[in-house]
Amino acid sequence: MPSYYSHKLSADRLRQVYEIAPPAVQAYLKAEIEFVISRLSSTESLLELGCGYGRVIATLSGHVDSLWGIDTSLASLRMARDYLGSLPCHLIAADASRLPFPGATFDVVVCIQNGISAFAIEKLCLMKEAVRVTRPGGKVLFSSYAESFWPHRLAWFEAQAEHGLIGEIDYQATGNGVIVCKDGFRAVTDGPGEFQSLAASIGIVPRIVEVAHSSLFCELIVPHY
């Protein structure tokens, strides 16, 4: 549901989503970014898909040579320019399924915080496009939630619903990794099998890593064709 993140969950409302996160979710968010940092080099260029108001870019600054972020929400991008201040980065309004960059532009492309599902665009197309703009030998990092993190993830969405950031949760339709709200919002996630299948479709053997019992990462090393 792109419009949900472009309008209802953009800019300041998106910031509130992270501000109200329970302690276990805060720990998950920190561990997720720390894992990304562990895979970076100071000489690399990095593109974040779905950069929002700049939360991740702000943390990655100083760990790579150049930072780029794209998002479909103009409101989030405007807020990101203020949030990031003088930090050197490039922010562009763009769709992750149609990136406005030539092939082999970046050393690293990241799509974390379950963006592969949250963007609500065709996942194989998203993965192919991320690989297309990554240089041979470069890395593409996707993340979703570890299965064991479900209770904390649900509690986080319940807090969002209580604050009016998303609709009331439909508990009859919610379960098995899927969170459904009565206003039509639906949050899904991907497991190791889904990541393996998507990567196999583009001929890459992924590295699947569970981080801190909370994140599930799929790392793709772009081959030299």
Side-chain angles (χ1 to χ4, degrees):
M1 187 179 296
S3 62
Y4 216 99
Y5 285 94
S6 297
H7 302 289
K8 189 167 183 178
L9 276 184
S10 65
D12 190 61
R13 290 176 65 85
L14 183 61
R15 178 185 57 80
Q16 290 179 58
V17 165
Y18 292 98
E19 287 185 344
I20 67 171
V25 175
Q26 295 286 357
Y28 143 72
L29 294 169
K30 180 180 178 182
E32 186 180 46
I33 292 179
E34 287 177 346
F35 179 80
V36 172
I37 290 172
S38 75
R39 305 299 296 144
L40 302 179
S41 164
S42 61
T43 61
E44 293 175 324
S45 57
L46 181 146
L47 169 66
E48 184 191 6
L49 307 181
C51 64
Y53 64 91
R55 178 185 67 90
V56 173
I57 284 179
T59 308
L60 298 183
S61 179
H63 294 280
V64 291
D65 182 59
S66 65
L67 272 169
W68 297 70
I70 64 108
D71 205 280
T72 57
S73 169
L74 295 177
S76 288
L77 290 169
R78 284 192 293 268
M79 183 174 176
R81 294 191 186 281
D82 290 334
Y83 182 81
L84 295 169
S86 61
L87 289 180
C89 62
H90 308 271
L91 302 175
I92 298 174
D95 187 324
S97 66
R98 297 185 298 275
L99 293 171
F101 306 107
T105 298
F106 302 98
D107 297 300
V108 184
V109 174
V110 299
C111 179
I112 63 173
Q113 237 289 271
N114 200 37
I116 190 168
S117 295
F119 292 172
I121 59 180
E122 209 277 314
K123 295 176 184 179
L124 183 57
C125 175
L126 174 62
M127 186 172 283
K128 284 181 177 179
E129 190 67 351
V131 168
R132 180 186 70 80
V133 300
T134 305
R135 295 183 181 121
K139 297 179 286 289
V140 177
L141 294 170
F142 290 99
S143 76
S144 66
Y145 298 97
E147 186 176 353
S148 60
F149 198 66
W150 168 256
H152 304 295
R153 179 174 169 235
L154 179 58
W156 188 19
F157 276 79
E158 288 172 334
Q160 294 173 49
E162 289 171 4
H163 283 76
L165 298 170
I166 60 174
E168 180 184 353
I169 292 177
D170 182 347
Y171 286 99
Q172 288 190 331
T174 293
N176 297 318
V178 179
I179 296 171
V180 179
C181 297
K182 293 182 179 180
D183 65 355
F185 179 69
R186 188 170 184 269
V188 300
T189 190
D190 290 279
E194 288 84 2
F195 279 135
Q196 294 278 3
S197 178
L198 286 167
S201 296
I202 58 175
I204 298 178
V205 177
R207 175 184 179 229
I208 309 294
V209 181
E210 185 173 312
V211 176
H213 306 291
S214 54
S215 293
L216 185 71
F217 270 86
C218 172
E219 180 178 20
L220 308 174
I221 304 299
V222 176
H224 294 263
Y225 295 103

